[in-house]
């Protein structure tokens, strides 16, 4: 017997590569924003009072929480703020998924969900998406210990927005469990389930500043839901680490929120570039899902080239995209949307590689 036998062993989540010399690389592998944060953020950073770092930050993230609550039209006690949505989701899993019954989520989705289940010893059951990568609603109307749905989903980009009652039907059918809706990409064209928090006490909406607000490096995420859900999450948070959000994150987060016009513009540019990229790829025989996110999920024409070969060819040309050697994923690439110039370079590289 050794201490190693008793270690909480886990297989960790593998994030996309962050090259150290990222100036040489066209980085389309982690769904970051190609545009900088609002100039208001740079101003707030320049004005930041370094002396204030002596003091602990607000444990309840008060000023940023209140600014977010005002922005989204919810009460302060319906808002939880964390260190990126990964922190918010991990806290929600630990708080709400505490049942003998399995938590359910799709086979193809954000690959952190099963990792959190493993680390917290939560049992789970995966449900297959249909051939078009849509969620089969009836799979979520069975007994369960909780539900997690990314909408729009990743890495497929697909949004469940054709059926307006899709999320509501699942929430309504599961009053005994918490339904987490991960809306990391909703600003790029999804439909938010936020209005449902006034009607149901078992739905938690999770969002992030990492994508549409160009803040992946700052680590801000938040959740909105019934005040009892938020209270239980705070109880768990205060049982691990009270001061999760540092002072610069709180101040710069507020600055980002003060310039929604800038971000609406940046998001619109990404959406336009996404549609251009999808069209160019389809013209070359790729199958591309109807993405409502800041990435495309594309299968190259199998008779010409495999996704794996294309992934390596792009990498050799210093264009980083994401490829997974997993069932139902290995014939596709997930390509984040960069600037117009970056996506033109991608298409040019695809042409060169496919010419052989
Ligand atoms: N949810 C989904 C679906 C994601 O793709 C990501 C980004 N990897 C996250 C949550 C977490 O993002 P962050 O922690 O940067 O907010």
């Amino acid at each position: 017997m050794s201490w190693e036998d008793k270690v909480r062993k886990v297989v960790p989540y593998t994030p996309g590569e962050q090259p150290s010399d990222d100036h040489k690389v066209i980085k389309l592998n982690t769904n970051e924003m190609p545009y900088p944060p609002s100039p208001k953020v740079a101003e707030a950073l320049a004005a930041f009072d370094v002396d204030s770092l002596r003091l602990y930050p607000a444990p309840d993230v008060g000023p940023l929480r209140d600014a977010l609550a005002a922005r989204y039209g919810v009460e302060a006690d319906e808002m939880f703020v964390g260190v990126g949505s990964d922190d918010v989701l991990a806290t929600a899993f630990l708080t709400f998924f505490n049942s003998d019954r399995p938590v359910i989520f799709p086979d193809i989705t954000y690959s952190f969900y099963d990792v959190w289940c493993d680390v917290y010893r939560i049992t789970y059951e995966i449900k297959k998406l249909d051939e078009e990568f849509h969620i089969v609603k009836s799979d979520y109307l069975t007994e369960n210990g909780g539900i997690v749905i990314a909408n729009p989903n990743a890495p497929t980009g697909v949004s469940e927005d054709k059926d307006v009652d899709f999320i509501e039907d699942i929430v309504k059918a599961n009053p005994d469990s918490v339904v987490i809706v991960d809306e990391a990409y909703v600003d790029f064209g999804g439909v938010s389930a936020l209005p449902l928090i006034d009607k149901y006490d078992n739905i938690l909406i999770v969002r992030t500043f990492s994508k549409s607000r160009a803040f992946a490096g700052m680590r801000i995420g938040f959740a909105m839901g019934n005040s009892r859900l938020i209270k239980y999450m705070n109880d768990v948070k205060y049982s691990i680490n009270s001061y999760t959000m540092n002072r610069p994150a709180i101040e710069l987060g507020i600055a980002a929120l003060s310039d929604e016009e800038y971000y609406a513009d940046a998001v619109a540019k990404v959406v336009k570039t996404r549609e251009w990229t999808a069209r160019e790829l389809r013209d070359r025989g790729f199958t591309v899902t109807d993405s409502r996110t800041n990435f495309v999920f594309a299968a190259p024409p199998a008779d010409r080239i495999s996704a794996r070969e294309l992934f390596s060819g792009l990498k050799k040309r210093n264009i980083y995209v994401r490829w997974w050697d997993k069932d139902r994923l290995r014939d596709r690439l997930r390509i984040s949307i960069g600037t117009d110039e970056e996506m033109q370079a991608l298409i040019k590289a695809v042409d060169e590689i496919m010419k052989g």
Side-chain angles (χ1 to χ4, degrees), residues 13 84-86 89 110 113 150 154 182 184-185 208 210-211 219-220:
Y13 170 75
S85 54
D86 282 342
L89 287 162
Y110 187 31
Y113 301 155
D182 179 351
Y185 298 102
T208 181
S210 298
K211 318 293 175 185
R219 315 302 301 130
I220 299 177

Side-chain angles (χ1 to χ4, degrees), residues 34 38 53 73 77 79 94 179 189 214 217 221 255 262 336 347:
S38 151
L53 292 178
D77 62 5
M79 176 70 70
L94 186 56
V179 179
Y262 169 87
S336 308
I347 296 293

Side-chain angles (χ1 to χ4, degrees), residues 13 15 30-31 82-89 109-113 116 150-155 182-185 206-211 215-217 219-222 295 322 334:
Y13 170 75
T30 45
N31 301 340
V83 189
S85 54
D86 282 342
D87 177 47
V88 175
L89 287 162
T109 191
Y110 187 31
S111 53
F112 225 136
Y113 301 155
W116 286 315
N151 193 35
N153 198 6
D182 179 351
E183 295 189 348
Y185 298 102
V206 179
R207 300 268 190 98
T208 181
F209 275 45
S210 298
K211 318 293 175 185
F215 246 32
R219 315 302 301 130
I220 299 177
F222 56 104
F295 55 84
R322 203 95 201 257
R334 190 198 70 188

